[in-house]
């Protein structure tokens, strides 16, 4: 599956637009992670527990978006983007979204 952040894919033409596709994940940081992050924030520097959690969440959101595009019959996703937000005080959501299309080599 080709996934790009651009409107077009060099060397390909879009022959059919299948529609919007997305992958969503909501994760809780957990009380242990919050305590460790709170201690780390006192001394400064990267909070590796959160970095790892967000990286994993982005990968999983993208995997879900690609799975949805495959189920729509697409072979590529253009205009892919990420968005994120907070739910409550200790949960975060990450969504990967784009437009599922069928492309052919030129």
């Amino acid at each position: 599956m080709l996934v790009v952040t651009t409107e077009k894919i060099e060397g390909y033409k879009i022959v059919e637009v299948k529609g919007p596709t997305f992958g969503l994940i909501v994760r809780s940081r957990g009380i242990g992670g919050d305590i460790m992050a709170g201690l780390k924030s006192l001394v400064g520097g990267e909070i590796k527990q959160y970095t790892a959690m967000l990286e994993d969440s982005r990968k999983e959101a993208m995997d879900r978006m690609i799975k949805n595009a495959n189920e729509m019959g697409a072979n590529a996703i253009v205009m892919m983007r990420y968005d994120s937000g907070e739910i409550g005080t200790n949960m975060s959501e990450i969504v990967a979204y784009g437009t599922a299309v069928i492309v052919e080599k030129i």
Side-chain angles (χ1 to χ4, degrees):
M1 172 81 57
L2 292 169
V3 180
V4 297
T5 58
T6 56
E7 288 182 38
K8 298 176 182 171
I9 303 172
E10 186 70 30
Y12 291 85
K13 68 176 180 180
I14 295 173
V15 295
E16 185 177 344
V17 175
K18 291 293 191 176
T21 182
F22 67 95
L24 175 68
I25 184 165
V26 177
R27 288 225 170 136
S28 170
R29 290 187 292 259
I31 192 163
D34 277 348
I35 292 170
M36 292 302 293
L39 293 173
K40 182 69 179 177
S41 70
L42 294 175
V43 294
E46 180 183 8
I47 302 172
K48 293 184 180 185
Q49 294 88 350
Y50 286 172
T51 300
M53 182 187 78
L54 291 173
E55 274 187 18
D56 289 346
S57 297
R58 280 183 174 233
K59 287 177 187 170
E60 195 159 335
M62 181 177 261
D63 289 345
R64 289 178 183 184
M65 176 189 67
I66 290 170
K67 181 180 175 221
N68 286 337
N70 276 325
E71 290 173 1
M72 296 166 72
N75 65 358
I77 298 170
V78 294
M79 298 295 294
M80 183 266 167
R81 300 284 187 270
Y82 284 109
D83 198 2
S84 63
E86 295 273 331
I87 300 174
T89 57
N90 68 345
M91 291 181 281
S92 62
E93 69 166 338
I94 294 191
V95 62
Y97 62 96
T99 302
V101 296
I102 295 177
V103 294
E104 290 178 356
K105 275 198 166 214
I106 297 175

